[in-house]
Amino acid sequence: MELTGTQVRVEEERLGLTELASSGLRVLLVRVPWQRSVAVHLRVLRGSGDDPYDRAGLAHLVEHERVAHAATHAPSLPPLAGRTEVAWTDYRLCVPAEHWRDALGQAMAVLHHGRLTDTRLAHERQAVVVELARAVGRPALRLGPLLASVAAAGSDLAAVGAATPDSIRSLTSKDVDNFLRDAYQPQHCLLAVTSPIPGAEVGRFLKAHPPEPPYHLTLAKRSVVDRPPAGPEAALSGTLAMTMLAARPTDPHNHLAERLAHLYLTEPHGHLDRLSSPSGGRIVGSAMLVGRQARLTMLSWGQVTSAARLGAALHGGLRAGGPMAPAELSRLRERLYLDRSFESQTPLGLAGQVLRAAAGEDAPPAPRAELERVSARQVDQAIGKLSEAAVLWRIADGLPQPLES
């Protein structure tokens, strides 16, 4: 398979994974013959951490604007689902396989910069303001994990929560256009497509519909923040976030043991969940293991009577450990297999998994036989390694601060 004027690298892997590069855009195609749908997952490696200092919320507004812009290119399909994180912005869509061309066209339209009208800008600004309003009183649903990811990445912590209704309303179409030209270049993007369509056919479509030529501009780094953000800090008083960083394991079994330990700690009715009620709150957030070099676990709680009390209970519970029953280990192995198996993935979940692996954030699924070789002792050791590296964070004086145990 060749694309004119482009160096193409093709790799055949399990389920027919094909990787190609076009105009700076990395594309990963996975042919899954038994699927009846196509999933498209586009990741732009720019997020809220790339907001200019005095333009808080710009990346989030651009995400809304790009969803609306792309929808005009395939009005018969559902719009892309968008999500803005600190380091990236995701766009996702899953449709019946016969609509794969329209789905790909809609995703590629994210990289085609169209004219933003004042009417649509006003509409999208209001949509973001509504999202901010919904977050007040429910900070654990988003801001705790956001806080943990920023802390682990070493980004500018003072930028967390900086977006306010006023900062969103001050953004202009020129701000959006500048951000698009700087951040939404093909070389900053990954595209994963899982479908029953042969990779060569998808490649021909992409050749006929390439992204716009990349802009040769440099993304300006955010200035150092010299004042606390003006965001809704009051709503964060009871929100905690936890980071767990660990070195890259040299033994693949250690890697699997760490994932099993993660499930044991964080799944519903797991170890941490059982700690929440006696501590005055309940875990309602999410948790992830991300990266081959480091592990990040993100947890958050709703409003609690004492963040310090919950933090102390969490530290104590992490170090308490305890023997794991054989039935519990068996259930964890099954959960991990189902969560990570290509065969059991939904099309959209499979596309996301391929994309995360391409970004170096995740490891490929492990065969069931390999999971069976991980012992309860290895899981206990992994829990100890994670707990030793755990750091809790909270909001104090408008800024994220580590919470002492």
Side-chain angles (χ1 to χ4, degrees), residues 38-41 77-81 91-95 102-103 106 348:
V38 57
V40 178
H41 196 145
L77 295 185
L80 293 164
Y91 300 92
R92 312 175 299 284
L93 181 64
C94 188
V95 298
D102 287 338
Q106 187 173 160
L348 196 57

Side-chain angles (χ1 to χ4, degrees), residues 162-363:
T164 66
D166 286 342
S167 71
I168 296 297
R169 292 189 182 104
S170 70
L171 297 174
T172 67
S173 57
K174 184 177 180 180
D175 294 323
V176 173
D177 187 60
N178 287 341
F179 192 85
L180 284 172
R181 285 181 171 271
D182 286 350
Y184 278 61
Q185 301 179 32
Q187 62 265 35
H188 294 161
C189 303
L190 296 169
L191 176 66
V193 182
T194 64
S195 76
I197 312 301
E201 190 172 351
V202 178
R204 284 193 294 271
F205 179 87
L206 291 174
K207 176 185 175 182
H209 302 82
E212 290 183 346
Y215 293 94
H216 299 287
L217 300 176
T218 302
L219 183 66
K221 295 296 183 182
R222 188 193 321 110
S223 302
V224 175
V225 175
D226 56 5
R227 61 181 175 81
E233 297 91 348
L236 290 168
S237 59
T239 298
L240 294 177
M242 179 172 65
T243 57
M244 292 177 175
L245 301 179
R248 178 179 180 178
T250 56
D251 183 346
H253 285 181
N254 288 342
H255 175 73
L256 294 173
E258 199 163 87
R259 289 195 171 275
L260 285 167
H262 161 79
L263 285 180
Y264 173 68
L265 289 171
T266 61
E267 70 169 355
H269 309 297
H271 189 63
L272 297 180
D273 193 18
R274 291 194 292 267
L275 286 172
S276 62
S277 295
S279 304
R282 180 166 178 79
I283 299 172
V284 295
S286 60
M288 296 191 307
L289 288 178
V290 178
R292 296 182 184 227
Q293 295 292 340
R295 301 292 177 259
L296 166 65
T297 301
M298 303 184 296
L299 300 170
S300 59
W301 287 263
Q303 297 291 343
V304 294
T305 55
S306 170
R309 179 184 174 193
L310 184 55
L314 176 59
H315 273 294
L318 281 172
R319 286 156 177 76
M324 184 179 299
E328 191 166 30
L329 179 59
S330 176
R331 179 169 53 84
L332 291 174
R333 286 172 174 151
E334 186 66 20
R335 268 287 309 276
L336 184 58
Y337 176 75
L338 291 176
D339 287 350
R340 305 285 303 152
S341 166
F342 274 165
E343 286 80 358
S344 67
Q345 289 280 334
T346 63
L348 196 57
L350 176 56
Q353 186 170 310
V354 169
L355 187 146
R356 289 190 298 273
E361 299 165 6
D362 224 341

Side-chain angles (χ1 to χ4, degrees), residues 4-91:
T4 303
T6 302
Q7 185 67 32
V8 177
R9 183 163 58 94
V10 178
E11 296 177 355
E12 294 297 333
E13 297 182 5
R14 191 178 180 200
L15 293 185
L17 174 64
T18 301
E19 181 175 338
L20 56 94
S22 173
S23 302
L25 174 70
R26 283 188 68 195
V27 184
L28 293 109
L29 311 175
V30 179
R31 188 183 183 195
V32 190
W34 57 85
Q35 277 188 198
R36 297 184 179 180
S37 57
V38 57
V40 178
H41 196 145
L42 176 69
R43 171 165 291 185
V44 180
L45 302 178
R46 296 292 185 267
S48 59
D50 298 291
D51 286 346
Y53 166 56
D54 57 348
R55 295 291 185 269
L58 179 56
H60 192 180
L61 177 64
V62 169
E63 173 230 309
H64 277 253
E65 186 276 332
R66 289 289 86 188
V67 168
H69 171 74
T72 63
H73 290 254
S76 61
L77 295 185
L80 293 164
R83 185 178 70 178
T84 305
E85 297 289 354
V86 174
W88 61 77
T89 305
D90 280 351
Y91 300 92

